[in-house]
């Protein structure tokens, strides 16, 4: 019932706000966040394709050091990077509060923490193994770079920062690419199918720096997440699922890289 009500609300243009304003606002949010990341990923992918050697011989590092050999400065940069990456989420919150909706309208609140976490854990468990198998297969076929989830120095703050990075990724992506974007596209008159395609292709696009496998795998994940959002009417479970997937990937790589034969390393 809640999900259905959310879909109806999304289809209504906001009072006093023209579609032109909503369109400009949406483009600006994307230009400051994941839309810009998509363009950056495309440029990176072209660079990888035109570089000597196969894709799997190249590496895509997700969490690297900003100041090698200077751990306290590195920590400051890591925390700065995580915090500033969340500014577009605050901008989205501002826009939603301005129209009288707030983040509650997309299901990003504390009203159902255990339900969100439980659903998120089930989703993460369901797609985690399949995602890893898909990555290993596409890399073996030469369609993907070797993904290095982390290359941080072995210092006390390494794993806390990786966990914070995972949470930041999940909040940024699910709030903007699912909750906010679907709401705005609905208000702009896009059909549900067109909005689903736009959201999932955008998600795949900003992972293109990882290769074709990263693009396709994340696009499929995007389709699933949009369908779950429409069913549940909340991004909370999606944030939880995404955070759990990234935490396992980041921390797991840090613990297992170089110790097991099946995990590719540069």
């Amino acid at each position: 019932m809640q999900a259905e009500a959310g879909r109806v609300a999304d289809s209504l243009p906001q009072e006093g706000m023209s579609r032109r304003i909503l369109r400009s606002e949406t483009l600006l949010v994307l230009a400051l966040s994941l839309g810009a990341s998509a363009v950056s990923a495309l440029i990176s992918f072209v660079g990888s394709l035109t570089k000597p050697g196969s894709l799997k011989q190249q590496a895509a590092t997700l969490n690297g050091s900003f100041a090698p050999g200077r751990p306290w400065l590195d920590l400051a940069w890591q925390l700065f990077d995580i915090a500033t990456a969340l500014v577009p989420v605050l901008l989205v919150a501002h826009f939603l509060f301005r129209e009288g909706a707030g983040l509650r309208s997309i299901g990003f609140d504390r009203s159902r923490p255990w339900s969100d976490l439980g659903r998120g854990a089930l989703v993460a468990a369901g797609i985690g193994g399949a995602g890893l198998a898909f990555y290993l297969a596409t890399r073996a076929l030469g369609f993907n770079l070797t993904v290095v989830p982390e290359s941080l120095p072995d210092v006390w703050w390494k794993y806390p920062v990786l966990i914070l990075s995972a949470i930041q990724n999940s909040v940024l992506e699910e709030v903007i690419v699912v909750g906010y974007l679907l709401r705005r596209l609905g208000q702009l008159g896009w059909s549900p199918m067109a909005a689903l395609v736009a959201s999932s292709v955008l998600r795949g696009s900003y992972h293109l720096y990882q290769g074709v496998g990263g693009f396709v795998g994340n696009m499929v994940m995007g389709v699933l997440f949009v369908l779950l959002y429409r069913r549940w009417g909340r991004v909370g479970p999606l944030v939880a699922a995404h955070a759990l997937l990234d935490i396992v990937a980041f921390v797991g790589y840090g613990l297992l890289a170089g110790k097991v034969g099946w995990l590719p390393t540069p």
Side-chain angles (χ1 to χ4, degrees):
M1 186 71 178
Q2 179 183 354
E4 184 65 30
R7 288 195 294 273
V8 172
D10 287 354
S11 67
L12 301 176
Q14 294 304 303
E15 213 175 291
M17 295 180 67
S18 68
R19 290 193 174 188
R20 181 179 179 182
I21 292 175
L22 291 177
R23 188 180 300 110
S24 298
E25 173 196 295
T26 305
L27 290 174
L28 286 171
V29 168
L30 293 178
L32 290 170
S33 58
L34 297 168
S37 296
V39 176
S40 174
L42 175 60
I43 295 171
S44 178
F45 182 58
V46 171
S48 297
L49 286 177
T50 55
K51 188 177 181 180
S54 65
L55 289 180
K56 69 179 181 180
Q57 293 174 327
Q58 303 176 48
T61 302
L62 307 188
N63 294 280
S65 176
F66 290 112
R70 306 178 69 182
W72 286 104
L73 182 62
D74 200 351
L75 174 60
W77 277 118
Q78 297 290 341
L79 296 177
F80 174 79
D81 187 61
I82 290 169
T84 54
L86 289 173
V87 171
V89 176
L90 298 178
L91 183 62
V92 163
H94 167 74
F95 286 141
L96 293 178
F97 280 121
R98 183 190 61 185
E99 68 183 64
L103 291 173
R104 183 180 293 269
S105 66
I106 61 173
F108 189 59
D109 55 29
R110 294 178 293 178
S111 63
R112 302 182 184 181
W114 296 113
S115 173
D116 288 348
L117 182 59
R119 286 174 169 176
L122 289 175
V123 173
I127 67 178
L132 176 59
F134 183 75
Y135 158 66
L136 293 175
T138 54
R139 179 187 175 276
L141 293 171
F143 295 131
N144 220 74
L145 285 75
T146 298
V147 177
V148 181
E150 69 86 18
S151 62
L152 295 178
D154 191 15
V155 291
W156 66 269
W157 49 259
K158 173 177 179 175
Y159 292 109
V161 161
L162 289 175
I163 292 171
L164 288 175
S165 177
I167 294 171
Q168 172 255 300
N169 288 341
S170 62
V171 171
L172 176 68
E173 294 186 35
E174 306 317 325
V175 167
I176 291 181
V177 175
V178 178
Y180 173 75
L181 184 60
L182 291 181
R183 181 180 180 85
R184 283 293 183 258
L185 293 181
Q187 292 169 340
L188 290 170
W190 287 47
S191 70
M193 178 57 71
L196 181 149
V197 170
S199 175
S200 58
V201 169
L202 175 59
R203 185 188 296 267
S205 297
Y206 58 76
H207 287 94
L208 191 56
Y209 68 93
Q210 299 176 11
V212 176
F215 172 78
V216 174
N218 281 280
M219 187 170 64
V220 172
M221 176 177 161
V223 171
L224 174 63
F225 274 27
V226 168
L227 294 177
L228 291 176
Y229 173 68
R230 287 175 173 167
R231 179 178 179 84
W232 294 332
R234 296 183 58 79
V235 298
L238 308 182
V239 170
H242 193 152
L244 290 171
L245 288 169
D246 279 5
I247 289 171
V248 170
F250 297 169
V251 174
Y253 186 89
L255 295 173
L256 298 177
K259 300 176 182 177
V260 294
W262 55 266
L263 185 61
T265 56

